[in-house]
mmCIF file of all heavy atoms in Angstrom:
data_model
loop_
_atom_site.group_PDB
_atom_site.id
_atom_site.type_symbol
_atom_site.label_atom_id
_atom_site.label_comp_id
_atom_site.label_asym_id
_atom_site.label_seq_id
_atom_site.Cartn_x
_atom_site.Cartn_y
_atom_site.Cartn_z
ATOM 1 N N PHE A 1 127.898 20.862 -97.779
ATOM 2 C CA PHE A 1 126.654 20.859 -97.014
ATOM 3 C C PHE A 1 126.407 19.520 -96.331
ATOM 4 O O PHE A 1 126.161 19.448 -95.126
ATOM 5 C CB PHE A 1 125.484 21.198 -97.953
ATOM 6 C CG PHE A 1 124.129 21.081 -97.332
ATOM 7 C CD1 PHE A 1 123.598 22.120 -96.591
ATOM 8 C CD2 PHE A 1 123.377 19.920 -97.490
ATOM 9 C CE1 PHE A 1 122.339 22.020 -96.017
ATOM 10 C CE2 PHE A 1 122.121 19.808 -96.922
ATOM 11 C CZ PHE A 1 121.608 20.856 -96.180
ATOM 12 N N VAL A 2 126.451 18.448 -97.105
ATOM 13 C CA VAL A 2 126.114 17.125 -96.583
ATOM 14 C C VAL A 2 127.027 16.718 -95.425
ATOM 15 O O VAL A 2 126.543 16.449 -94.326
ATOM 16 C CB VAL A 2 126.093 16.063 -97.703
ATOM 17 C CG1 VAL A 2 125.952 14.663 -97.131
ATOM 18 C CG2 VAL A 2 124.964 16.366 -98.687
ATOM 19 N N PRO A 3 128.348 16.667 -95.614
ATOM 20 C CA PRO A 3 129.176 16.223 -94.483
ATOM 21 C C PRO A 3 129.126 17.186 -93.295
ATOM 22 O O PRO A 3 129.163 16.753 -92.140
ATOM 23 C CB PRO A 3 130.591 16.121 -95.062
ATOM 24 C CG PRO A 3 130.572 16.865 -96.339
ATOM 25 C CD PRO A 3 129.154 16.909 -96.818
ATOM 26 N N HIS A 4 129.021 18.481 -93.567
ATOM 27 C CA HIS A 4 128.976 19.461 -92.475
ATOM 28 C C HIS A 4 127.787 19.208 -91.556
ATOM 29 O O HIS A 4 127.936 19.082 -90.341
ATOM 30 C CB HIS A 4 128.918 20.890 -93.027
ATOM 31 C CG HIS A 4 128.683 21.922 -91.981
ATOM 32 N ND1 HIS A 4 129.684 22.354 -91.125
ATOM 33 C CD2 HIS A 4 127.555 22.584 -91.617
ATOM 34 C CE1 HIS A 4 129.187 23.247 -90.287
ATOM 35 N NE2 HIS A 4 127.885 23.408 -90.567
ATOM 36 N N TYR A 5 126.581 19.129 -92.143
ATOM 37 C CA TYR A 5 125.381 18.968 -91.318
ATOM 38 C C TYR A 5 125.227 17.551 -90.781
ATOM 39 O O TYR A 5 124.684 17.356 -89.693
ATOM 40 C CB TYR A 5 124.136 19.418 -92.081
ATOM 41 C CG TYR A 5 124.068 20.921 -92.130
ATOM 42 C CD1 TYR A 5 124.498 21.620 -93.250
ATOM 43 C CD2 TYR A 5 123.635 21.647 -91.031
ATOM 44 C CE1 TYR A 5 124.464 23.001 -93.287
ATOM 45 C CE2 TYR A 5 123.606 23.043 -91.054
ATOM 46 C CZ TYR A 5 124.020 23.698 -92.186
ATOM 47 O OH TYR A 5 124.002 25.073 -92.208
ATOM 48 N N ARG A 6 125.727 16.575 -91.501
ATOM 49 C CA ARG A 6 125.688 15.196 -91.001
ATOM 50 C C ARG A 6 126.538 15.093 -89.739
ATOM 51 O O ARG A 6 126.093 14.575 -88.716
ATOM 52 C CB ARG A 6 126.168 14.224 -92.085
ATOM 53 C CG ARG A 6 125.982 12.761 -91.707
ATOM 54 C CD ARG A 6 126.451 11.821 -92.802
ATOM 55 N NE ARG A 6 127.768 12.141 -93.331
ATOM 56 C CZ ARG A 6 128.917 11.967 -92.683
ATOM 57 N NH1 ARG A 6 128.935 11.506 -91.449
ATOM 58 N NH2 ARG A 6 130.064 12.273 -93.255
ATOM 59 N N GLU A 7 127.747 15.629 -89.801
ATOM 60 C CA GLU A 7 128.647 15.576 -88.650
ATOM 61 C C GLU A 7 128.162 16.471 -87.514
ATOM 62 O O GLU A 7 128.246 16.087 -86.340
ATOM 63 C CB GLU A 7 130.066 15.961 -89.085
ATOM 64 C CG GLU A 7 130.688 14.919 -90.002
ATOM 65 C CD GLU A 7 131.970 15.389 -90.685
ATOM 66 O OE1 GLU A 7 132.520 16.449 -90.305
ATOM 67 O OE2 GLU A 7 132.412 14.687 -91.615
ATOM 68 N N LEU A 8 127.655 17.645 -87.840
ATOM 69 C CA LEU A 8 127.147 18.575 -86.834
ATOM 70 C C LEU A 8 126.046 17.935 -85.986
ATOM 71 O O LEU A 8 125.948 18.178 -84.784
ATOM 72 C CB LEU A 8 126.614 19.843 -87.516
ATOM 73 C CG LEU A 8 126.083 20.946 -86.603
ATOM 74 C CD1 LEU A 8 127.211 21.559 -85.766
ATOM 75 C CD2 LEU A 8 125.404 22.023 -87.431
ATOM 76 N N HIS A 9 125.246 17.082 -86.608
ATOM 77 C CA HIS A 9 124.134 16.443 -85.906
ATOM 78 C C HIS A 9 124.442 15.015 -85.462
ATOM 79 O O HIS A 9 123.532 14.294 -85.028
ATOM 80 C CB HIS A 9 122.880 16.481 -86.791
ATOM 81 C CG HIS A 9 122.343 17.863 -86.942
ATOM 82 N ND1 HIS A 9 121.475 18.431 -86.039
ATOM 83 C CD2 HIS A 9 122.577 18.821 -87.874
ATOM 84 C CE1 HIS A 9 121.188 19.659 -86.412
ATOM 85 N NE2 HIS A 9 121.844 19.925 -87.523
ATOM 86 N N GLY A 10 125.702 14.616 -85.551
ATOM 87 C CA GLY A 10 126.108 13.303 -85.055
ATOM 88 C C GLY A 10 125.520 12.133 -85.829
ATOM 89 O O GLY A 10 125.251 11.076 -85.259
ATOM 90 N N ILE A 11 125.358 12.337 -87.125
ATOM 91 C CA ILE A 11 124.770 11.301 -87.985
ATOM 92 C C ILE A 11 125.906 10.556 -88.689
ATOM 93 O O ILE A 11 126.817 11.165 -89.238
ATOM 94 C CB ILE A 11 123.820 11.938 -89.020
ATOM 95 C CG1 ILE A 11 122.683 12.681 -88.295
ATOM 96 C CG2 ILE A 11 123.277 10.890 -89.971
ATOM 97 C CD1 ILE A 11 121.859 13.583 -89.199
ATOM 98 N N THR A 12 125.829 9.236 -88.675
ATOM 99 C CA THR A 12 126.850 8.389 -89.275
ATOM 100 C C THR A 12 126.548 8.131 -90.742
ATOM 101 O O THR A 12 125.401 7.870 -91.108
ATOM 102 C CB THR A 12 126.924 7.040 -88.517
ATOM 103 O OG1 THR A 12 127.178 7.304 -87.132
ATOM 104 C CG2 THR A 12 128.011 6.142 -89.073
ATOM 105 N N GLU A 13 127.571 8.181 -91.559
ATOM 106 C CA GLU A 13 127.425 7.903 -92.994
ATOM 107 C C GLU A 13 127.207 6.411 -93.216
ATOM 108 O O GLU A 13 127.872 5.573 -92.594
ATOM 109 C CB GLU A 13 128.712 8.335 -93.712
ATOM 110 C CG GLU A 13 128.742 7.986 -95.169
ATOM 111 C CD GLU A 13 130.093 8.270 -95.815
ATOM 112 O OE1 GLU A 13 131.043 8.647 -95.100
ATOM 113 O OE2 GLU A 13 130.197 8.087 -97.040
ATOM 114 N N LEU A 14 126.276 6.079 -94.095
ATOM 115 C CA LEU A 14 126.049 4.687 -94.481
ATOM 116 C C LEU A 14 126.362 4.551 -95.968
ATOM 117 O O LEU A 14 125.594 5.008 -96.819
ATOM 118 C CB LEU A 14 124.601 4.258 -94.211
ATOM 119 C CG LEU A 14 124.256 2.817 -94.603
ATOM 120 C CD1 LEU A 14 125.056 1.814 -93.764
ATOM 121 C CD2 LEU A 14 122.762 2.566 -94.461
ATOM 122 N N PRO A 15 127.508 3.944 -96.307
ATOM 123 C CA PRO A 15 127.854 3.753 -97.722
ATOM 124 C C PRO A 15 126.878 2.784 -98.394
ATOM 125 O O PRO A 15 126.214 1.989 -97.734
ATOM 126 C CB PRO A 15 129.254 3.133 -97.673
ATOM 127 C CG PRO A 15 129.764 3.420 -96.300
ATOM 128 C CD PRO A 15 128.552 3.478 -95.412
ATOM 129 N N LEU A 16 126.820 2.853 -99.704
ATOM 130 C CA LEU A 16 125.985 1.935 -100.476
ATOM 131 C C LEU A 16 126.843 0.746 -100.893
ATOM 132 O O LEU A 16 127.786 0.891 -101.664
ATOM 133 C CB LEU A 16 125.417 2.640 -101.717
ATOM 134 C CG LEU A 16 124.532 1.798 -102.625
ATOM 135 C CD1 LEU A 16 123.321 1.256 -101.874
ATOM 136 C CD2 LEU A 16 124.103 2.602 -103.845
ATOM 137 N N TYR A 17 126.488 -0.421 -100.362
ATOM 138 C CA TYR A 17 127.225 -1.643 -100.655
ATOM 139 C C TYR A 17 126.443 -2.512 -101.641
ATOM 140 O O TYR A 17 125.221 -2.418 -101.740
ATOM 141 C CB TYR A 17 127.466 -2.448 -99.374
ATOM 142 C CG TYR A 17 128.367 -1.756 -98.387
ATOM 143 C CD1 TYR A 17 127.856 -1.253 -97.190
ATOM 144 C CD2 TYR A 17 129.727 -1.588 -98.644
ATOM 145 C CE1 TYR A 17 128.679 -0.610 -96.280
ATOM 146 C CE2 TYR A 17 130.561 -0.949 -97.740
ATOM 147 C CZ TYR A 17 130.029 -0.463 -96.557
ATOM 148 O OH TYR A 17 130.841 0.176 -95.654
ATOM 149 N N GLU A 18 127.166 -3.372 -102.322
ATOM 150 C CA GLU A 18 126.560 -4.266 -103.307
ATOM 151 C C GLU A 18 125.417 -5.087 -102.708
ATOM 152 O O GLU A 18 124.383 -5.296 -103.357
ATOM 153 C CB GLU A 18 127.637 -5.202 -103.873
ATOM 154 C CG GLU A 18 127.124 -6.154 -104.925
ATOM 155 C CD GLU A 18 128.215 -7.067 -105.429
ATOM 156 O OE1 GLU A 18 128.491 -8.077 -104.743
ATOM 157 O OE2 GLU A 18 128.792 -6.768 -106.490
ATOM 158 N N GLU A 19 125.579 -5.551 -101.496
ATOM 159 C CA GLU A 19 124.537 -6.349 -100.829
ATOM 160 C C GLU A 19 123.191 -5.621 -100.851
ATOM 161 O O GLU A 19 122.147 -6.216 -101.119
ATOM 162 C CB GLU A 19 124.950 -6.632 -99.382
ATOM 163 C CG GLU A 19 123.885 -7.295 -98.551
ATOM 164 C CD GLU A 19 124.235 -7.348 -97.076
ATOM 165 O OE1 GLU A 19 125.310 -6.874 -96.670
ATOM 166 O OE2 GLU A 19 123.396 -7.864 -96.326
ATOM 167 N N ALA A 20 123.227 -4.330 -100.587
ATOM 168 C CA ALA A 20 121.992 -3.534 -100.596
ATOM 169 C C ALA A 20 121.479 -3.352 -102.023
ATOM 170 O O ALA A 20 120.277 -3.482 -102.276
ATOM 171 C CB ALA A 20 122.223 -2.182 -99.943
ATOM 172 N N VAL A 21 122.365 -3.078 -102.954
ATOM 173 C CA VAL A 21 121.951 -2.870 -104.350
ATOM 174 C C VAL A 21 121.260 -4.117 -104.893
ATOM 175 O O VAL A 21 120.250 -4.022 -105.603
ATOM 176 C CB VAL A 21 123.165 -2.490 -105.230
ATOM 177 C CG1 VAL A 21 122.772 -2.432 -106.699
ATOM 178 C CG2 VAL A 21 123.761 -1.164 -104.781
ATOM 179 N N LEU A 22 121.741 -5.288 -104.536
ATOM 180 C CA LEU A 22 121.159 -6.527 -105.040
ATOM 181 C C LEU A 22 119.742 -6.766 -104.529
ATOM 182 O O LEU A 22 118.977 -7.528 -105.129
ATOM 183 C CB LEU A 22 122.064 -7.714 -104.701
ATOM 184 C CG LEU A 22 123.440 -7.681 -105.393
ATOM 185 C CD1 LEU A 22 124.307 -8.827 -104.913
ATOM 186 C CD2 LEU A 22 123.301 -7.679 -106.904
ATOM 187 N N GLN A 23 119.363 -6.107 -103.448
ATOM 188 C CA GLN A 23 117.989 -6.194 -102.944
ATOM 189 C C GLN A 23 116.995 -5.618 -103.965
ATOM 190 O O GLN A 23 115.823 -5.979 -103.967
ATOM 191 C CB GLN A 23 117.839 -5.433 -101.618
ATOM 192 C CG GLN A 23 118.578 -6.028 -100.456
ATOM 193 C CD GLN A 23 117.984 -7.355 -100.031
ATOM 194 O OE1 GLN A 23 116.786 -7.577 -100.119
ATOM 195 N NE2 GLN A 23 118.838 -8.242 -99.573
ATOM 196 N N LEU A 24 117.479 -4.724 -104.801
ATOM 197 C CA LEU A 24 116.621 -4.062 -105.789
ATOM 198 C C LEU A 24 115.869 -5.063 -106.669
ATOM 199 O O LEU A 24 114.706 -4.852 -107.022
ATOM 200 C CB LEU A 24 117.461 -3.113 -106.645
ATOM 201 C CG LEU A 24 116.726 -2.120 -107.519
ATOM 202 C CD1 LEU A 24 115.795 -1.248 -106.700
ATOM 203 C CD2 LEU A 24 117.729 -1.261 -108.263
ATOM 204 N N SER A 25 116.510 -6.178 -106.995
ATOM 205 C CA SER A 25 115.876 -7.187 -107.862
ATOM 206 C C SER A 25 114.675 -7.853 -107.188
ATOM 207 O O SER A 25 113.856 -8.467 -107.859
ATOM 208 C CB SER A 25 116.894 -8.249 -108.275
ATOM 209 O OG SER A 25 117.306 -8.998 -107.138
ATOM 210 N N ARG A 26 114.548 -7.701 -105.887
ATOM 211 C CA ARG A 26 113.447 -8.325 -105.136
ATOM 212 C C ARG A 26 112.289 -7.368 -104.869
ATOM 213 O O ARG A 26 111.264 -7.782 -104.344
ATOM 214 C CB ARG A 26 113.963 -8.839 -103.804
ATOM 215 C CG ARG A 26 115.000 -9.912 -103.947
ATOM 216 C CD ARG A 26 115.448 -10.390 -102.597
ATOM 217 N NE ARG A 26 116.453 -11.424 -102.752
ATOM 218 C CZ ARG A 26 117.408 -11.647 -101.899
ATOM 219 N NH1 ARG A 26 117.510 -10.932 -100.804
ATOM 220 N NH2 ARG A 26 118.289 -12.596 -102.118
ATOM 221 N N LEU A 27 112.469 -6.092 -105.194
ATOM 222 C CA LEU A 27 111.436 -5.105 -104.872
ATOM 223 C C LEU A 27 110.378 -5.014 -105.962
ATOM 224 O O LEU A 27 110.703 -4.898 -107.138
ATOM 225 C CB LEU A 27 112.051 -3.709 -104.709
ATOM 226 C CG LEU A 27 112.977 -3.446 -103.541
ATOM 227 C CD1 LEU A 27 113.371 -1.976 -103.525
ATOM 228 C CD2 LEU A 27 112.364 -3.850 -102.226
ATOM 229 N N PRO A 28 109.114 -5.011 -105.566
ATOM 230 C CA PRO A 28 108.073 -4.719 -106.555
ATOM 231 C C PRO A 28 108.166 -3.248 -106.947
ATOM 232 O O PRO A 28 108.700 -2.426 -106.197
ATOM 233 C CB PRO A 28 106.770 -5.014 -105.801
ATOM 234 C CG PRO A 28 107.122 -4.937 -104.362
ATOM 235 C CD PRO A 28 108.583 -5.281 -104.246
ATOM 236 N N ALA A 29 107.636 -2.904 -108.089
ATOM 237 C CA ALA A 29 107.763 -1.536 -108.617
ATOM 238 C C ALA A 29 106.671 -0.611 -108.076
ATOM 239 O O ALA A 29 106.026 0.103 -108.830
ATOM 240 C CB ALA A 29 107.736 -1.566 -110.130
ATOM 241 N N VAL A 30 106.488 -0.600 -106.768
ATOM 242 C CA VAL A 30 105.486 0.264 -106.145
ATOM 243 C C VAL A 30 105.956 1.718 -106.177
ATOM 244 O O VAL A 30 105.209 2.618 -106.523
ATOM 245 C CB VAL A 30 105.228 -0.172 -104.676
ATOM 246 C CG1 VAL A 30 104.299 0.788 -103.974
ATOM 247 C CG2 VAL A 30 104.685 -1.584 -104.640
ATOM 248 N N HIS A 31 107.202 1.925 -105.817
ATOM 249 C CA HIS A 31 107.769 3.275 -105.720
ATOM 250 C C HIS A 31 108.659 3.520 -106.934
ATOM 251 O O HIS A 31 109.508 2.704 -107.255
ATOM 252 C CB HIS A 31 108.591 3.395 -104.442
ATOM 253 C CG HIS A 31 108.653 4.778 -103.893
ATOM 254 N ND1 HIS A 31 109.005 5.869 -104.636
ATOM 255 C CD2 HIS A 31 108.407 5.248 -102.649
ATOM 256 C CE1 HIS A 31 108.982 6.947 -103.875
ATOM 257 N NE2 HIS A 31 108.606 6.598 -102.664
ATOM 258 N N LYS A 32 108.461 4.641 -107.604
ATOM 259 C CA LYS A 32 109.226 4.939 -108.823
ATOM 260 C C LYS A 32 110.502 5.735 -108.551
ATOM 261 O O LYS A 32 111.381 5.798 -109.393
ATOM 262 C CB LYS A 32 108.359 5.714 -109.819
ATOM 263 C CG LYS A 32 107.076 5.003 -110.192
ATOM 264 C CD LYS A 32 107.324 3.682 -110.864
ATOM 265 C CE LYS A 32 106.022 3.021 -111.255
ATOM 266 N NZ LYS A 32 106.066 1.597 -111.296
ATOM 267 N N ASP A 33 110.614 6.349 -107.373
ATOM 268 C CA ASP A 33 111.770 7.187 -107.057
ATOM 269 C C ASP A 33 113.000 6.299 -106.808
ATOM 270 O O ASP A 33 113.011 5.509 -105.859
ATOM 271 C CB ASP A 33 111.461 8.027 -105.819
ATOM 272 C CG ASP A 33 112.572 8.994 -105.467
ATOM 273 O OD1 ASP A 33 113.748 8.575 -105.404
ATOM 274 O OD2 ASP A 33 112.273 10.172 -105.239
#
């Protein structure tokens, strides 16, 4: 489902890199999801 509809609509995949994960330590706990 995911790759089919992503490609069908011309949406580019964005992998999760360590740089982004490390931002988590800077976020206040406003959002629980």
Side-chain angles (χ1 to χ4, degrees):
F1 173 84
V2 171
H4 172 77
Y5 284 99
R6 188 179 48 72
E7 292 168 11
L8 182 67
H9 290 274
I11 300 168
T12 303
E13 175 187 5
L14 179 64
L16 180 59
Y17 295 110
E18 181 181 82
E19 173 190 0
V21 173
L22 295 175
Q23 292 292 327
L24 193 57
S25 66
R26 297 181 180 150
L27 293 184
V30 174
H31 208 309
K32 303 298 182 208
D33 184 311

